[in-house]
Amino acid sequence: MTSRFGTLEINPSDLLHFPQGIPAFEHLKEFFFYPIPENPAFTWLQAAADPEVAFLLVDPFLFFPGYAVDLPARLQEELAIKEPADALVYAVVTIPDGDIRRATANLVGPMIINPTARLGMQLILEGTKYTTRHQLFKESFSGGESIPSSGGNEG
């Protein structure tokens, strides 16, 4: 049962294990992806044990082409990542007051997931130029369409 998507039937093999949980949600260890078919750049990461906890994720490289994340050896070992292709990197999205035009991505705390090993964790980058609120969209065109931002707000 989820608060956003109703009752879902999840195959246990689709669960992702977060051994340390997610900061502020350390008690939750099992999550699953709930894709957004009409917009594959985004997906939900839903907690299996708490219907209220879901994180909207985005592929940060689509919006911030210069974005880079160095995965520490410790994290690579914990998530059984042997090469870069083993890891998916997502940014958590915040939508202030439900206004998608003001959506921001947290580039300081990317979610790192090894889909093959079904393992994940939120990595907190230290000493980085990134922030927790990089604007996803530039100002809207007069026609109401938004375009992806080619860079982050550094402030």
Side-chain angles (χ1 to χ4, degrees):
M1 189 60 163
T2 69
S3 63
R4 285 176 181 78
F5 319 113
T7 302
L8 302 173
E9 195 167 315
I10 301 301
N11 187 326
S13 67
D14 290 335
L15 290 176
L16 301 166
H17 184 68
F18 282 65
Q20 300 167 14
I22 292 174
F25 299 93
E26 290 85 358
H27 62 289
L28 299 172
K29 310 284 187 196
E30 305 293 329
F31 293 83
F32 60 89
F33 285 128
Y34 187 78
I36 302 172
E38 60 276 7
N39 198 337
F42 295 87
T43 189
W44 287 96
L45 184 68
Q46 172 70 51
D50 189 332
E52 299 294 325
V53 178
F55 301 94
L56 181 59
L57 304 180
V58 67
D59 178 343
F61 304 105
L62 295 175
F63 291 87
F64 311 100
Y67 184 57
V69 176
D70 279 330
L71 300 182
R74 166 195 57 79
L75 181 138
Q76 291 180 46
E77 186 177 314
E78 286 178 35
L79 299 183
I81 295 170
K82 296 186 182 12
E83 55 188 64
D86 293 340
L88 297 176
V89 177
Y90 289 101
V92 178
V93 175
T94 300
I95 303 174
D97 302 320
D99 184 354
I100 189 70
R101 296 169 300 176
R102 295 177 45 217
T104 61
N106 176 351
L107 299 185
V108 173
M111 294 286 188
I112 312 298
I113 298 168
N114 179 337
T116 304
R118 312 299 302 163
L119 293 169
M121 78 170 9
Q122 185 172 24
L123 174 65
I124 305 302
L125 303 176
E126 295 181 21
T128 178
K129 65 180 179 179
Y130 301 121
T131 73
T132 58
R133 291 190 209 120
H134 285 267
Q135 200 71 39
L136 279 183
F137 303 106
K138 289 186 178 180
E139 292 298 316
S140 297
F141 290 125
S142 58
E145 291 181 43
S146 293
I147 58 172
S149 172
S150 61
N153 259 348
E154 301 305 328

